[in-house]
Amino acid sequence: MDRNMLMQKLMELDFLAVDLGLFLNTHPDSSEAIAAYNEVIEAADKVRLQYEENFGPLCSFRSYAADPEHWLWERNPWPWQKDANTTMGGKECR
Amino acid sequence: MWIYEKKLEFPIHITKPDGRLAKIMIEQYGGPDGELGAAVRYLSQKFTMVTPQAKATLNDIATEEMAHLEMMGTIVHQLTQGLTKAQLEEAGLSPYYVNHGFGVYPSAASGIPFNATALQSKGDPLTDLYEDMAAEQKARSTYEYLIDLTDDPDVLAPLRFLREREVVHFQRFGEALDSARDYLNQQHYFFMNQK
Ligand SMILES: [Fe+2]
């Protein structure tokens, strides 16, 4: 998978985790939502690992520095740069 | 404590520089109902919140708002990349430019700098949560006005995402309010007497 596809997949999964987390804060006894949350976290972990192995660390002081010779964290692109993202223009569902 | 994740919450890649849009998008970066105000409002209110559910809600929505602040800054930044002098002047961006260049500065679309008077922290859990619900509605309205004035699909996609989040946050704050109200009702005495 190329960088953009992996990033897209990770954004989708992390978004689900954010949204389910907020839901669970006010529905803490929903075992259905807890199961869904755990599923999403597990799937996102896998994609995050795959991304980091190929394109460098994603999390400040949580990700491994995989390359012993070079500190990859500082490398471009940073998230606000155009080439960090593809557009969702025209791709959303209405 | 926060962990930074090196990605946006929602992807943004704007191809066409557009000074007119940059000038109005700054509203949700540093305007009264923008993302900076939202993040600081909830981060400040969490310290005196009562129920675990409402504390978690304030903490985590504040955290998401910081990601939204980054998204709005990204939109403004990408819209100004590659603007020509003529485009900048035509869009009425000269007054902004002479002060900030293309730096992203928290202000409203009118040019008024961000001001903490745009938010409240009353130390009363019910008052604060009512304010937060109103704040989410005000942010939703602002996103709708921005969407009305936007024709670039690269800008519309993240704006629609952000509008949708305000609707969800409003819902979650409503539930947090229920938990805080139930808790206070069970106390059988006024909140101020608990201190
Ligand atoms: Fe919000």
Side-chain angles (χ1 to χ4, degrees), chain B residues 10-121:
Chain B
F10 183 95
I12 298 169
H13 183 115
I14 299 167
T15 323
K16 209 168 83 52
D18 190 326
R20 180 188 70 87
L21 286 182
K23 194 174 181 333
I24 56 174
M25 293 302 153
I26 199 73
E27 180 75 17
Q28 279 307 81
Y29 190 78
D33 304 317
E35 302 293 353
L36 177 61
V40 178
R41 175 185 298 112
Y42 309 146
L43 286 175
S44 302
Q45 293 176 357
K46 72 176 182 177
F47 299 104
T48 44
M49 193 39 67
V50 280
T51 65
Q53 297 190 13
K55 286 176 206 172
T57 299
L58 279 171
N59 189 73
D60 295 357
I61 292 181
T63 301
E64 188 178 354
E65 306 293 14
M66 289 197 280
H68 296 171
L69 181 67
E70 184 181 41
M71 284 178 64
M72 287 313 301
T74 299
I75 289 175
V76 172
H77 168 62
Q78 293 190 6
L79 282 169
T80 56
Q81 277 187 294
L83 269 187
T84 64
K85 186 175 170 224
Q87 286 171 328
L88 180 150
E89 282 174 344
E90 200 201 334
L93 267 178
S94 307
Y96 184 95
Y97 183 79
V98 294
N99 191 346
H100 310 292
F102 288 134
V104 177
Y105 176 76
S107 67
S110 61
I112 298 170
F114 178 75
N115 193 314
T117 52
L119 54 99
Q120 279 296 342
S121 183

